[in-house]
Amino acid sequence: MRITIGLRIFLALTLVSLVIVGLSATLTRLNFEADFQDYVDEQEANTIAEAADELADLYWRDGSWDSLRDNPRRWMNLLRRGAGEGPPPGRRPPPGSRPGLPPPDPLALGRRIALLDADGTLLVGPPPKPGENRRIPIDVNGTIVGFVALNPGSELSNPLDQRFADSQQRSTYVVAIAALVIAAIMSGFVARQFTRPIRAVAEGANRIAAGDFESRIDAARKDELGDLARDFNVLAETLEDNRQARQRWVADIAHELRTPLAILRGELDALEDGVRTFDAGTRESLQAEVARLSKLVGDLHDLSVYDEGALHAQLEFLDFTVLLQRMLRGADNRFVDAGITLSTELLPSPLTVLGDPQRLEQLITNLLENTLRYTDAPGSLDVALTTDGTTAMLTFSDSAPGVPDTSLPLLFDRLYRVHESRNRKSGGSGLGLSICKAIVEAHSGTIAAEPSAKGGLRVSVRLPLVIDAGIA
């Protein structure tokens, strides 16, 4: 049998309530018994005090205990008279007694009360239990002539007392059972209230598992369960965004692959139909499209490697300034041919980072290609390398055209193009900056884009420095 969390909460709360009610009922019962026993003891104390007064009068009249010695009948009559009539007229109740208390049963009391002489010798009644009985002295004109001894009782002697005690015990049990029933009802209500948002999350999870990524649950609560509901909604929204991104990703990749494949197919069909001859121009066109396909597939492979965390980087200590200078010198002629002025401001060596030279070269190449493809001629590019003592800060600032502010957060998304400045004619699949971001993050760095003061785009890369590391 499957035990749900609601049932677990209900059973736990009911068990706690049962323990609390049981302890309360037990303590109430014990407290009642103790208090009621004190009440009965006070009754008995009044009775034996009155008996002591009666016995003092008897001794004063007779001058001895001979009339009671071995005379249980007269002894019981004396107890019965004292219990029924109370103190004689004109006599004040014994000190410490409470008038008006109902007397105990004299017959039952007679089985526990005894008369002792001044030496403690039993005259009449049951033998007193050593150390357990209560004794009241009998005083006649300032002389102790005997004692009234009362043995402790195990049961209530008065039937009225017993009925009252039984009634209180039944009332305690009824109240305890009623409290337990109410606690069980409240436990069920609390368990239902607690599990309602959990059931909502479970139902929402099932809907998401079935493909309904637009599913949302109520998150109006202001407690941890409300936080759980809000986190679930964030998860559902993220999954929905990821699904849409995946759909766009697949559509964009299909579109990117379709264009060069269509060109290749058109060229081959033209060759097969004899419309075109296989000459240097045809070969160059085919090679360009094949190269474009190869680069696109290579970029997709690199991104998948970064996503899976399976990049096998050959990390080593290297001087980032030297690497950057070498890459800029290699690209200098291309910038001259493109009509773009390249200016640099680099810190002197060494500026040491822990990285993969091949990947960092790919990073710099992609950033340079981004300027070559999308900067209008005549234009300019300023490359700066600075440091704040803990990170190396590389910036690429180019001239117009710029990027709209709404597009800046999307520049590092895969296959994203700014329509005003990027198109297939100028080249690029929209993966270059995505690969740059993946490389930088793989080196525990950050990359950001913002408008350039020159009217174009400013890309900033920050990489952690290695302090006090020697370069071989």
Side-chain angles (χ1 to χ4, degrees), residues 198-268:
I198 299 177
R199 290 195 303 271
V201 171
E203 293 172 359
N206 290 332
R207 291 194 297 268
I208 288 180
D212 182 12
F213 293 102
E214 297 180 358
S215 174
R216 301 292 185 271
I217 60 177
D218 182 20
R221 296 175 66 108
K222 302 299 182 182
D223 53 11
E224 289 81 357
L225 292 175
D227 294 339
L228 175 62
R230 284 184 287 274
D231 292 340
F232 176 87
N233 289 338
V234 171
L235 173 62
E237 183 177 354
T238 302
L239 291 174
E240 173 66 13
D241 292 342
N242 289 340
R243 183 182 68 170
Q244 294 176 358
R246 184 173 64 251
Q247 292 174 344
R248 291 194 303 268
W249 170 253
V250 173
D252 290 343
I253 289 177
H255 183 70
E256 292 296 329
L257 293 174
R258 186 183 298 114
T259 300
L261 287 175
I263 294 175
L264 286 174
R265 181 175 180 177
E267 293 284 355
L268 293 175

Side-chain angles (χ1 to χ4, degrees), residues 71-408:
N71 191 350
R73 181 183 296 275
R74 188 176 183 185
W75 170 246
M76 290 301 300
N77 289 335
L78 182 66
L79 292 178
R80 186 179 293 108
R81 184 172 66 253
E85 297 177 357
R91 180 177 297 172
R92 301 178 63 184
S97 66
R98 293 170 55 187
L101 293 175
D105 182 9
L107 295 177
L109 192 60
R111 292 190 290 268
R112 297 167 50 207
I113 195 170
L115 174 64
L116 310 177
D117 63 13
D119 297 329
T121 303
L122 177 66
L123 298 176
V124 64
K129 297 180 180 180
E132 298 183 9
N133 61 82
R134 288 186 294 171
R135 296 187 180 190
I136 294 181
I138 302 173
D139 188 344
V140 178
N141 296 328
T143 301
I144 304 300
V145 297
F147 298 92
V148 178
L150 180 65
N151 288 326
S154 57
E155 297 180 356
L156 297 176
S157 59
N158 194 320
L160 292 177
D161 293 342
Q162 186 63 53
R163 285 197 296 271
F164 177 75
D166 293 341
S167 174
Q168 291 299 311
Q169 185 176 11
R170 287 192 298 271
S171 298
T172 301
Y173 292 152
V174 170
V175 171
I177 293 173
L180 184 59
V181 171
I182 294 174
I185 295 174
M186 294 300 297
S187 298
F189 175 77
V190 171
R192 182 177 180 84
Q193 290 299 110
F194 269 110
T195 56
R196 179 179 298 172
I198 299 177
R199 290 195 303 271
V201 171
E203 293 172 359
N206 290 332
R207 291 194 297 268
I208 288 180
D212 182 12
F213 293 102
E214 297 180 358
S215 174
R216 301 292 185 271
I217 60 177
D218 182 20
R221 296 175 66 108
K222 302 299 182 182
D223 53 11
E224 289 81 357
L225 292 175
D227 294 339
L228 175 62
R230 284 184 287 274
D231 292 340
F232 176 87
N233 289 338
V234 171
L235 173 62
E237 183 177 354
T238 302
L239 291 174
E240 173 66 13
D241 292 342
N242 289 340
R243 183 182 68 170
Q244 294 176 358
R246 184 173 64 251
Q247 292 174 344
R248 291 194 303 268
W249 170 253
V250 173
D252 290 343
I253 289 177
H255 183 70
E256 292 296 329
L257 293 174
R258 186 183 298 114
T259 300
L261 287 175
I263 294 175
L264 286 174
R265 181 175 180 177
E267 293 284 355
L268 293 175
D269 288 343
L271 289 174
E272 183 178 2
D273 295 339
V275 176
R276 296 190 58 178
T277 59
F278 188 77
D279 52 15
T282 303
R283 183 178 64 252
E284 183 179 350
S285 176
L286 294 174
Q287 288 177 341
E289 296 304 323
V290 170
R292 182 177 177 181
L293 277 173
S294 298
K295 187 177 187 309
L296 177 60
V297 173
D299 289 346
L300 292 173
H301 173 73
D302 289 342
L303 285 175
S304 66
V305 169
Y306 287 122
D307 287 343
E308 295 174 2
L311 174 65
H312 299 289
Q314 302 295 325
L315 298 180
E316 60 183 68
F317 296 113
L318 56 90
D319 189 336
F320 196 46
T321 303
V322 173
L323 185 144
L324 180 59
Q325 288 174 337
R326 184 174 70 251
M327 297 298 297
L328 293 177
R329 285 196 300 268
D332 188 58
N333 291 334
R334 296 186 60 195
F335 276 86
V336 172
D337 295 340
I340 299 174
T341 302
L342 176 61
S343 59
T344 61
E345 182 182 353
L346 311 181
L347 286 177
S349 297
L351 199 61
T352 307
V353 298
L354 181 63
D356 185 330
Q358 181 180 354
R359 300 298 177 180
L360 293 178
E361 289 176 1
Q362 185 180 10
L363 166 68
I364 297 171
T365 298
N366 285 355
L367 293 177
L368 293 174
E369 288 291 336
N370 190 68
T371 296
L372 288 170
R373 286 173 180 163
Y374 307 121
T375 300
D376 294 339
S380 63
L381 171 64
D382 293 342
V383 180
L385 180 60
T386 59
T387 180
D388 60 1
T390 59
T391 58
M393 296 177 288
L394 173 64
T395 59
F396 284 67
S397 301
D398 57 29
S399 56
V403 175
D405 292 340
T406 55
S407 296
L408 287 174

